[in-house]
Amino acid sequence: MTAVADRSLGPELARIQTINPDTDVLVIGLTSSENGPAIVPEDLFGDVLPEGIRTELLDQLGAVGAKGKAEELTRVPAPAGLDDVTSVLAVGLGPADKIDEEQVRKSAGVAARSLAGTELVATTLGGVDLGAAAEGFYLGAYTFSTFKSTKSAPKPDEQPVARVEFLVPEPNFGENALLRAQLTAEAVATARDFVNTPPSHLYPAEFADRTRQLAEAAGLEVEILDENALAAGGFGGILGVGKGSSRPPRLVRLTYAGGPKKVALVGKGITFDTGGISIKPAQNMENMTSDMAGAAAVVATTLLAARLGLPITVTATVPMAENMPSSTAQRPGDVLTQYGGTTVEVLNTDAEGRLILADAMVRACEDDPDYLIDVATLTGAQMVALGTRTPGVMGTDEFRDRVAFISRAVGENGWAMPLPAELRADLNSKIADLANVAPHRWGGMLSAGLFLKEFVPEGVQWAHVDIAGPAYNTGGPFGYIGKGGTGVPVRTLIAVIEDIAAAE
Ligand code: BES
Ligand code: ZN
Ligand code: ZN
């Protein structure tokens, strides 16, 4: 068992009422308008930013072209009177009437990224939205350098900002908001760390061990089924997908028992997806290190529910396997028996996610959950339909819409998609109960959703979230999202769980 690497923790976050001496940078928010930029919030910090200093700052910022456009960055030397700071960084928030939480998160994220190499930052952005600003700073500062040896380790001026202090108007202001933001951002970072850990170092047994360590530290109940237990239990989907690899599969179960309502989470944990015998092209195959992002998100969310002490029961059922081609791999045309007895003809070994999820979903529903949410980097078709930043949300109508709505409210952009009944017949198999793919390309994301639907019992409110694109950023950084694992949809999941816990 490998110890969980002490992850390079994000910046320390704290609340202050006056700017500390030796602060390197003061980050302020700037809105745009026809009359030029304005500093926000307007009057919360009169003692810290008196009228005279504000006017001078605005003059200086205007002189170097600051407009207050969303995520614009302008840095100026600290004006006379702001003696405790070296410079002021103004970050744009766009038009004042359009500022929402997500804008604050994005602007704080962009500011945090530009502050690499800075020790101590103070900011007034907490006066706009403390929770969103804290999440944005923490997530924007995220880096993953575990595999950089001393040869290429981040230099001092590339190190993430070390400490961010949020100016608050009085000592009681925002204590809970900051704590919640910190715990949430840490959970997102945990999911990112798992996704960013390469397949050489994160394979099923290792993923299960690291999950166990984190879960035990958070006081959760943990159960891990190894390949023998999976065989004894009849988990044919997980075994079928895992059998081409020398690194055997696992099924991890975490339970946080916090209250009467029950939410079951299931996440796809393919630690690497070569496609198996239906092998993928070499180009971009390395991105399939992210094929366990659903698993990472549900593990991180379950830990977070426990840390927040939510009054609800959350279970995570997490199948982990490596999809490899070999002489022991399953073949196109093989038939396997899913947990629960459904037989599936495996026409394409690259449609492996649905096979491991089906076993896990049937197992999760043995506990009679009220709600079931499965999360998976399931189909390339998700990206064809919705692009790389919009998760597709399918499932039972009402719950699907609720999850998609909440996902947009937290800035993770989930969009409701249908499960058209006429596509179901294309999953009929000549020799088994079901085929794992349709004989055509149309509606590939929906077809995968329809396959999963076969394994959801009547009466369970179900949402299936396809995050093939949104889980992993292969492009440049934007907002509070860097390259690599994004941690999507941890913030959606925790907000849905909180919404369920709070409802009648
Ligand atoms: N892991 C992939 C889906 C994926 C593709 C995730 C690109 C992220 C980026 C999944 O296992 C897969 O290969 N799906 C196939 C299904 C097809 C064979 C029906 C796909 O989307 O091509
Ligand atoms: Zn695949
Ligand atoms: Zn896959």
Side-chain angles (χ1 to χ4, degrees), residues 328-366:
T328 61
Q330 61 179 348
R331 291 151 289 257
D334 278 0
V335 172
L336 56 75
T337 303
Q338 302 276 174
Y339 184 68
T342 302
T343 58
V344 174
E345 185 184 9
V346 182
L347 292 175
N348 188 319
T349 65
D350 197 12
E352 83 297 340
R354 61 198 76 182
L355 301 173
I356 67 167
L357 289 170
D359 278 4
M361 286 164 64
V362 172
R363 173 63 192 89
C365 288
E366 285 178 347

mmCIF file of all heavy atoms in Angstrom, residues 328-366:
data_model
loop_
_atom_site.group_PDB
_atom_site.id
_atom_site.type_symbol
_atom_site.label_atom_id
_atom_site.label_comp_id
_atom_site.label_asym_id
_atom_site.label_seq_id
_atom_site.Cartn_x
_atom_site.Cartn_y
_atom_site.Cartn_z
ATOM 1 N N THR A 328 -5.872 -12.371 -22.710
ATOM 2 C CA THR A 328 -6.927 -12.683 -21.732
ATOM 3 C C THR A 328 -8.084 -11.698 -21.818
ATOM 4 O O THR A 328 -9.018 -11.773 -21.033
ATOM 5 C CB THR A 328 -6.361 -12.676 -20.300
ATOM 6 O OG1 THR A 328 -5.841 -11.363 -20.020
ATOM 7 C CG2 THR A 328 -5.274 -13.719 -20.123
ATOM 8 N N ALA A 329 -8.008 -10.755 -22.755
ATOM 9 C CA ALA A 329 -9.057 -9.722 -22.840
ATOM 10 C C ALA A 329 -10.361 -10.298 -23.387
ATOM 11 O O ALA A 329 -10.361 -11.301 -24.101
ATOM 12 C CB ALA A 329 -8.587 -8.586 -23.746
ATOM 13 N N GLN A 330 -11.458 -9.628 -23.066
ATOM 14 C CA GLN A 330 -12.709 -10.054 -23.690
ATOM 15 C C GLN A 330 -12.678 -9.670 -25.170
ATOM 16 O O GLN A 330 -11.974 -8.738 -25.580
ATOM 17 C CB GLN A 330 -13.925 -9.451 -22.977
ATOM 18 C CG GLN A 330 -14.006 -7.943 -22.983
ATOM 19 C CD GLN A 330 -15.262 -7.430 -22.269
ATOM 20 O OE1 GLN A 330 -16.171 -8.190 -21.954
ATOM 21 N NE2 GLN A 330 -15.316 -6.141 -22.008
ATOM 22 N N ARG A 331 -13.436 -10.459 -25.970
ATOM 23 C CA ARG A 331 -13.465 -10.256 -27.424
ATOM 24 C C ARG A 331 -14.770 -9.626 -27.852
ATOM 25 O O ARG A 331 -15.800 -9.850 -27.205
ATOM 26 C CB ARG A 331 -13.344 -11.615 -28.126
ATOM 27 C CG ARG A 331 -12.001 -12.299 -27.987
ATOM 28 C CD ARG A 331 -12.165 -13.808 -28.053
ATOM 29 N NE ARG A 331 -12.812 -14.263 -26.823
ATOM 30 C CZ ARG A 331 -12.164 -14.850 -25.817
ATOM 31 N NH1 ARG A 331 -10.877 -15.084 -25.891
ATOM 32 N NH2 ARG A 331 -12.820 -15.208 -24.715
ATOM 33 N N PRO A 332 -14.761 -8.903 -28.960
ATOM 34 C CA PRO A 332 -16.026 -8.482 -29.544
ATOM 35 C C PRO A 332 -16.836 -9.736 -29.894
ATOM 36 O O PRO A 332 -16.303 -10.661 -30.506
ATOM 37 C CB PRO A 332 -15.604 -7.728 -30.815
ATOM 38 C CG PRO A 332 -14.190 -7.300 -30.557
ATOM 39 C CD PRO A 332 -13.592 -8.389 -29.715
ATOM 40 N N GLY A 333 -18.057 -9.782 -29.409
ATOM 41 C CA GLY A 333 -18.873 -10.970 -29.630
ATOM 42 C C GLY A 333 -19.023 -11.822 -28.382
ATOM 43 O O GLY A 333 -19.917 -12.659 -28.302
ATOM 44 N N ASP A 334 -18.160 -11.603 -27.387
ATOM 45 C CA ASP A 334 -18.308 -12.326 -26.118
ATOM 46 C C ASP A 334 -19.629 -11.955 -25.460
ATOM 47 O O ASP A 334 -20.162 -10.855 -25.665
ATOM 48 C CB ASP A 334 -17.173 -11.940 -25.141
ATOM 49 C CG ASP A 334 -15.888 -12.719 -25.408
ATOM 50 O OD1 ASP A 334 -15.875 -13.539 -26.339
ATOM 51 O OD2 ASP A 334 -14.903 -12.472 -24.673
ATOM 52 N N VAL A 335 -20.144 -12.858 -24.644
ATOM 53 C CA VAL A 335 -21.334 -12.556 -23.838
ATOM 54 C C VAL A 335 -20.934 -12.634 -22.367
ATOM 55 O O VAL A 335 -20.267 -13.583 -21.951
ATOM 56 C CB VAL A 335 -22.489 -13.547 -24.133
ATOM 57 C CG1 VAL A 335 -23.643 -13.348 -23.140
ATOM 58 C CG2 VAL A 335 -22.999 -13.342 -25.563
ATOM 59 N N LEU A 336 -21.307 -11.601 -21.610
ATOM 60 C CA LEU A 336 -21.049 -11.636 -20.171
ATOM 61 C C LEU A 336 -22.361 -11.505 -19.402
ATOM 62 O O LEU A 336 -23.383 -11.079 -19.964
ATOM 63 C CB LEU A 336 -20.039 -10.553 -19.767
ATOM 64 C CG LEU A 336 -20.329 -9.088 -20.120
ATOM 65 C CD1 LEU A 336 -21.390 -8.486 -19.223
ATOM 66 C CD2 LEU A 336 -19.028 -8.290 -20.007
ATOM 67 N N THR A 337 -22.305 -11.892 -18.141
ATOM 68 C CA THR A 337 -23.500 -11.784 -17.292
ATOM 69 C C THR A 337 -23.256 -10.707 -16.246
ATOM 70 O O THR A 337 -22.349 -10.822 -15.425
ATOM 71 C CB THR A 337 -23.805 -13.132 -16.597
ATOM 72 O OG1 THR A 337 -23.957 -14.133 -17.613
ATOM 73 C CG2 THR A 337 -25.107 -13.044 -15.787
ATOM 74 N N GLN A 338 -24.047 -9.651 -16.355
ATOM 75 C CA GLN A 338 -23.909 -8.543 -15.404
ATOM 76 C C GLN A 338 -24.350 -8.993 -14.012
ATOM 77 O O GLN A 338 -25.118 -9.944 -13.863
ATOM 78 C CB GLN A 338 -24.805 -7.362 -15.828
ATOM 79 C CG GLN A 338 -24.527 -6.823 -17.202
ATOM 80 C CD GLN A 338 -23.414 -5.818 -17.283
ATOM 81 O OE1 GLN A 338 -23.041 -5.396 -18.367
ATOM 82 N NE2 GLN A 338 -22.854 -5.427 -16.142
ATOM 83 N N TYR A 339 -23.902 -8.275 -12.994
ATOM 84 C CA TYR A 339 -24.390 -8.499 -11.634
ATOM 85 C C TYR A 339 -25.912 -8.346 -11.663
ATOM 86 O O TYR A 339 -26.428 -7.375 -12.210
ATOM 87 C CB TYR A 339 -23.766 -7.457 -10.703
ATOM 88 C CG TYR A 339 -24.116 -7.645 -9.246
ATOM 89 C CD1 TYR A 339 -23.642 -8.739 -8.536
ATOM 90 C CD2 TYR A 339 -24.912 -6.715 -8.584
ATOM 91 C CE1 TYR A 339 -23.947 -8.913 -7.194
ATOM 92 C CE2 TYR A 339 -25.222 -6.875 -7.238
ATOM 93 C CZ TYR A 339 -24.741 -7.985 -6.551
ATOM 94 O OH TYR A 339 -25.047 -8.151 -5.229
ATOM 95 N N GLY A 340 -26.625 -9.326 -11.135
ATOM 96 C CA GLY A 340 -28.088 -9.281 -11.196
ATOM 97 C C GLY A 340 -28.669 -10.165 -12.283
ATOM 98 O O GLY A 340 -29.870 -10.443 -12.283
ATOM 99 N N GLY A 341 -27.825 -10.615 -13.247
ATOM 100 C CA GLY A 341 -28.282 -11.652 -14.171
ATOM 101 C C GLY A 341 -28.500 -11.256 -15.616
ATOM 102 O O GLY A 341 -28.627 -12.121 -16.481
ATOM 103 N N THR A 342 -28.549 -9.974 -15.926
ATOM 104 C CA THR A 342 -28.737 -9.567 -17.327
ATOM 105 C C THR A 342 -27.527 -9.998 -18.162
ATOM 106 O O THR A 342 -26.383 -9.768 -17.758
ATOM 107 C CB THR A 342 -28.904 -8.026 -17.414
ATOM 108 O OG1 THR A 342 -30.009 -7.652 -16.602
ATOM 109 C CG2 THR A 342 -29.144 -7.574 -18.854
ATOM 110 N N THR A 343 -27.795 -10.603 -19.324
ATOM 111 C CA THR A 343 -26.685 -10.995 -20.195
ATOM 112 C C THR A 343 -26.469 -9.935 -21.271
ATOM 113 O O THR A 343 -27.417 -9.334 -21.779
ATOM 114 C CB THR A 343 -26.945 -12.355 -20.869
ATOM 115 O OG1 THR A 343 -28.162 -12.274 -21.627
ATOM 116 C CG2 THR A 343 -27.062 -13.458 -19.835
ATOM 117 N N VAL A 344 -25.191 -9.684 -21.587
ATOM 118 C CA VAL A 344 -24.845 -8.633 -22.548
ATOM 119 C C VAL A 344 -23.855 -9.158 -23.578
ATOM 120 O O VAL A 344 -22.837 -9.777 -23.236
ATOM 121 C CB VAL A 344 -24.234 -7.404 -21.831
ATOM 122 C CG1 VAL A 344 -23.745 -6.367 -22.845
ATOM 123 C CG2 VAL A 344 -25.250 -6.770 -20.891
ATOM 124 N N GLU A 345 -24.182 -8.920 -24.834
ATOM 125 C CA GLU A 345 -23.268 -9.245 -25.923
ATOM 126 C C GLU A 345 -22.352 -8.043 -26.117
ATOM 127 O O GLU A 345 -22.812 -6.925 -26.396
ATOM 128 C CB GLU A 345 -24.070 -9.525 -27.196
ATOM 129 C CG GLU A 345 -23.215 -9.993 -28.354
ATOM 130 C CD GLU A 345 -24.005 -10.183 -29.662
ATOM 131 O OE1 GLU A 345 -25.191 -9.783 -29.716
ATOM 132 O OE2 GLU A 345 -23.422 -10.712 -30.625
ATOM 133 N N VAL A 346 -21.053 -8.265 -25.962
ATOM 134 C CA VAL A 346 -20.069 -7.173 -26.032
ATOM 135 C C VAL A 346 -19.635 -7.006 -27.492
ATOM 136 O O VAL A 346 -18.699 -7.644 -27.943
ATOM 137 C CB VAL A 346 -18.855 -7.459 -25.127
ATOM 138 C CG1 VAL A 346 -17.863 -6.300 -25.176
ATOM 139 C CG2 VAL A 346 -19.307 -7.696 -23.692
ATOM 140 N N LEU A 347 -20.345 -6.178 -28.217
ATOM 141 C CA LEU A 347 -20.018 -6.011 -29.638
ATOM 142 C C LEU A 347 -18.805 -5.112 -29.828
ATOM 143 O O LEU A 347 -18.098 -5.212 -30.823
ATOM 144 C CB LEU A 347 -21.222 -5.441 -30.387
ATOM 145 C CG LEU A 347 -22.416 -6.401 -30.495
ATOM 146 C CD1 LEU A 347 -23.610 -5.709 -31.138
ATOM 147 C CD2 LEU A 347 -22.026 -7.644 -31.290
ATOM 148 N N ASN A 348 -18.580 -4.224 -28.877
ATOM 149 C CA ASN A 348 -17.435 -3.310 -28.973
ATOM 150 C C ASN A 348 -16.813 -3.196 -27.584
ATOM 151 O O ASN A 348 -17.460 -2.724 -26.643
ATOM 152 C CB ASN A 348 -17.920 -1.947 -29.480
ATOM 153 C CG ASN A 348 -16.760 -1.019 -29.790
ATOM 154 O OD1 ASN A 348 -15.775 -0.965 -29.054
ATOM 155 N ND2 ASN A 348 -16.862 -0.283 -30.889
ATOM 156 N N THR A 349 -15.558 -3.635 -27.461
ATOM 157 C CA THR A 349 -14.940 -3.634 -26.121
ATOM 158 C C THR A 349 -14.583 -2.223 -25.654
ATOM 159 O O THR A 349 -14.219 -2.029 -24.507
ATOM 160 C CB THR A 349 -13.664 -4.511 -26.080
ATOM 161 O OG1 THR A 349 -12.678 -3.933 -26.943
ATOM 162 C CG2 THR A 349 -13.962 -5.937 -26.509
ATOM 163 N N ASP A 350 -14.697 -1.247 -26.553
ATOM 164 C CA ASP A 350 -14.426 0.143 -26.164
ATOM 165 C C ASP A 350 -15.649 0.784 -25.496
ATOM 166 O O ASP A 350 -15.542 1.861 -24.914
ATOM 167 C CB ASP A 350 -13.991 0.950 -27.397
ATOM 168 C CG ASP A 350 -13.315 2.256 -27.032
ATOM 169 O OD1 ASP A 350 -12.975 2.437 -25.842
ATOM 170 O OD2 ASP A 350 -13.125 3.088 -27.936
ATOM 171 N N ALA A 351 -16.801 0.137 -25.596
ATOM 172 C CA ALA A 351 -17.972 0.638 -24.858
ATOM 173 C C ALA A 351 -18.007 -0.111 -23.528
ATOM 174 O O ALA A 351 -18.930 -0.869 -23.216
ATOM 175 C CB ALA A 351 -19.249 0.407 -25.665
ATOM 176 N N GLU A 352 -16.917 0.104 -22.745
ATOM 177 C CA GLU A 352 -16.701 -0.664 -21.517
ATOM 178 C C GLU A 352 -17.297 0.000 -20.284
ATOM 179 O O GLU A 352 -17.633 -0.667 -19.312
ATOM 180 C CB GLU A 352 -15.197 -0.893 -21.306
ATOM 181 C CG GLU A 352 -14.429 0.262 -20.645
ATOM 182 C CD GLU A 352 -14.420 1.564 -21.441
ATOM 183 O OE1 GLU A 352 -14.659 1.509 -22.659
ATOM 184 O OE2 GLU A 352 -14.177 2.620 -20.839
ATOM 185 N N GLY A 353 -17.437 1.330 -20.348
ATOM 186 C CA GLY A 353 -17.897 2.058 -19.157
ATOM 187 C C GLY A 353 -19.264 1.577 -18.714
ATOM 188 O O GLY A 353 -19.504 1.308 -17.529
ATOM 189 N N ARG A 354 -20.162 1.410 -19.670
ATOM 190 C CA ARG A 354 -21.534 0.997 -19.332
ATOM 191 C C ARG A 354 -21.554 -0.391 -18.693
ATOM 192 O O ARG A 354 -22.436 -0.692 -17.901
ATOM 193 C CB ARG A 354 -22.408 1.086 -20.591
ATOM 194 C CG ARG A 354 -21.968 0.212 -21.729
ATOM 195 C CD ARG A 354 -22.569 0.632 -23.073
ATOM 196 N NE ARG A 354 -21.921 1.819 -23.635
ATOM 197 C CZ ARG A 354 -22.295 2.406 -24.769
ATOM 198 N NH1 ARG A 354 -23.336 1.947 -25.451
ATOM 199 N NH2 ARG A 354 -21.659 3.464 -25.216
ATOM 200 N N LEU A 355 -20.557 -1.232 -19.040
ATOM 201 C CA LEU A 355 -20.532 -2.595 -18.493
ATOM 202 C C LEU A 355 -20.158 -2.581 -17.006
ATOM 203 O O LEU A 355 -20.755 -3.292 -16.196
ATOM 204 C CB LEU A 355 -19.537 -3.462 -19.271
ATOM 205 C CG LEU A 355 -19.815 -3.591 -20.781
ATOM 206 C CD1 LEU A 355 -18.674 -4.329 -21.465
ATOM 207 C CD2 LEU A 355 -21.150 -4.305 -21.018
ATOM 208 N N ILE A 356 -19.167 -1.760 -16.654
ATOM 209 C CA ILE A 356 -18.786 -1.710 -15.231
ATOM 210 C C ILE A 356 -19.830 -0.927 -14.427
ATOM 211 O O ILE A 356 -20.113 -1.245 -13.282
ATOM 212 C CB ILE A 356 -17.357 -1.163 -15.004
ATOM 213 C CG1 ILE A 356 -17.225 0.307 -15.368
ATOM 214 C CG2 ILE A 356 -16.329 -1.993 -15.766
ATOM 215 C CD1 ILE A 356 -15.920 0.931 -14.853
ATOM 216 N N LEU A 357 -20.427 0.092 -15.072
ATOM 217 C CA LEU A 357 -21.443 0.889 -14.368
ATOM 218 C C LEU A 357 -22.686 0.053 -14.073
ATOM 219 O O LEU A 357 -23.301 0.180 -13.009
ATOM 220 C CB LEU A 357 -21.837 2.112 -15.204
ATOM 221 C CG LEU A 357 -20.780 3.214 -15.316
ATOM 222 C CD1 LEU A 357 -21.207 4.240 -16.377
ATOM 223 C CD2 LEU A 357 -20.563 3.914 -13.975
ATOM 224 N N ALA A 358 -23.084 -0.792 -15.034
ATOM 225 C CA ALA A 358 -24.309 -1.590 -14.849
ATOM 226 C C ALA A 358 -24.194 -2.452 -13.595
ATOM 227 O O ALA A 358 -25.110 -2.484 -12.762
ATOM 228 C CB ALA A 358 -24.564 -2.446 -16.084
ATOM 229 N N ASP A 359 -23.066 -3.136 -13.435
ATOM 230 C CA ASP A 359 -22.857 -3.939 -12.218
ATOM 231 C C ASP A 359 -22.988 -3.051 -10.969
ATOM 232 O O ASP A 359 -23.662 -3.400 -10.002
ATOM 233 C CB ASP A 359 -21.435 -4.530 -12.199
ATOM 234 C CG ASP A 359 -21.293 -5.791 -13.030
ATOM 235 O OD1 ASP A 359 -22.264 -6.203 -13.693
ATOM 236 O OD2 ASP A 359 -20.177 -6.374 -13.010
ATOM 237 N N ALA A 360 -22.314 -1.918 -11.009
ATOM 238 C CA ALA A 360 -22.267 -1.049 -9.828
ATOM 239 C C ALA A 360 -23.640 -0.454 -9.520
ATOM 240 O O ALA A 360 -24.023 -0.307 -8.355
ATOM 241 C CB ALA A 360 -21.243 0.059 -10.039
ATOM 242 N N MET A 361 -24.385 -0.122 -10.559
ATOM 243 C CA MET A 361 -25.712 0.470 -10.333
ATOM 244 C C MET A 361 -26.673 -0.547 -9.725
ATOM 245 O O MET A 361 -27.446 -0.224 -8.823
ATOM 246 C CB MET A 361 -26.263 1.033 -11.652
ATOM 247 C CG MET A 361 -25.542 2.329 -12.057
ATOM 248 S SD MET A 361 -25.769 2.816 -13.773
ATOM 249 C CE MET A 361 -27.512 3.144 -13.831
ATOM 250 N N VAL A 362 -26.608 -1.780 -10.207
ATOM 251 C CA VAL A 362 -27.474 -2.821 -9.631
ATOM 252 C C VAL A 362 -27.097 -3.029 -8.164
ATOM 253 O O VAL A 362 -27.964 -3.105 -7.285
ATOM 254 C CB VAL A 362 -27.356 -4.142 -10.432
ATOM 255 C CG1 VAL A 362 -28.104 -5.272 -9.731
ATOM 256 C CG2 VAL A 362 -27.882 -3.944 -11.856
ATOM 257 N N ARG A 363 -25.798 -3.081 -7.888
ATOM 258 C CA ARG A 363 -25.349 -3.248 -6.496
ATOM 259 C C ARG A 363 -25.793 -2.058 -5.634
ATOM 260 O O ARG A 363 -26.310 -2.245 -4.526
ATOM 261 C CB ARG A 363 -23.819 -3.389 -6.450
ATOM 262 C CG ARG A 363 -23.222 -3.401 -5.056
ATOM 263 C CD ARG A 363 -23.696 -4.611 -4.241
ATOM 264 N NE ARG A 363 -23.351 -4.491 -2.828
ATOM 265 C CZ ARG A 363 -24.122 -3.912 -1.918
ATOM 266 N NH1 ARG A 363 -25.308 -3.393 -2.248
ATOM 267 N NH2 ARG A 363 -23.725 -3.862 -0.643
ATOM 268 N N ALA A 364 -25.641 -0.848 -6.177
ATOM 269 C CA ALA A 364 -26.009 0.354 -5.403
ATOM 270 C C ALA A 364 -27.493 0.336 -5.071
ATOM 271 O O ALA A 364 -27.901 0.750 -3.977
ATOM 272 C CB ALA A 364 -25.651 1.608 -6.199
ATOM 273 N N CYS A 365 -28.311 -0.156 -5.983
ATOM 274 C CA CYS A 365 -29.765 -0.112 -5.780
ATOM 275 C C CYS A 365 -30.262 -1.208 -4.846
ATOM 276 O O CYS A 365 -31.420 -1.174 -4.416
ATOM 277 C CB CYS A 365 -30.481 -0.132 -7.129
ATOM 278 S SG CYS A 365 -30.287 1.448 -7.991
ATOM 279 N N GLU A 366 -29.398 -2.159 -4.501
ATOM 280 C CA GLU A 366 -29.791 -3.147 -3.485
ATOM 281 C C GLU A 366 -30.027 -2.480 -2.128
ATOM 282 O O GLU A 366 -30.712 -3.036 -1.281
ATOM 283 C CB GLU A 366 -28.707 -4.225 -3.337
ATOM 284 C CG GLU A 366 -28.713 -5.213 -4.486
ATOM 285 C CD GLU A 366 -27.619 -6.274 -4.380
ATOM 286 O OE1 GLU A 366 -26.693 -6.122 -3.545
ATOM 287 O OE2 GLU A 366 -27.679 -7.234 -5.156
#
